[in-house]
Amino acid sequence: MPPLPGAELIQTSVQLYRYLLRCCRQLPSAAMQQHYRHAIRQSYNSHSDEKDPERILLMINRAVADADWILEKFFCPGDLKKCL
């Protein structure tokens, strides 16, 4: 289950960037939000020159899965099987 609706519609790096920033707003503390916003911004800047569509799609899928894992980690303490 993706953390926010619309994850399946992401096709470009800019859409992914905006989606991940919206996911950050769901984190419980301002420090966590700032940390992940910074990490997203750094990753976006380092991969902004990527042109291979297959590689971009792999990065999109991985980033959405990672965002889902991070949000589940904060909102489903203990056994993750209970949250799924």
Side-chain angles (χ1 to χ4, degrees), residues 6-68:
E8 63 280 351
L9 302 175
I10 298 172
Q11 297 178 351
T12 66
S13 57
V14 174
Q15 290 173 336
L16 175 63
Y17 179 73
R18 294 182 68 198
Y19 175 82
L20 293 174
L21 289 179
R22 285 192 304 270
C23 287
C24 282
R25 291 187 208 144
Q26 294 185 353
L27 294 172
S29 76
M32 282 185 224
Q33 292 175 8
Q34 183 179 11
H35 170 77
Y36 284 106
R37 272 197 314 266
H38 178 72
I40 291 165
R41 195 171 294 123
Q42 291 291 356
S43 182
Y44 178 79
N45 289 334
S46 68
H47 295 292
S48 64
D49 60 343
E50 184 65 50
K51 300 295 180 204
D52 182 19
E54 289 181 20
R55 177 131 168 83
I56 291 171
L57 192 59
L58 285 173
M59 286 191 281
I60 288 171
N61 291 335
R62 178 60 190 248
V64 169
D66 289 348
D68 187 25

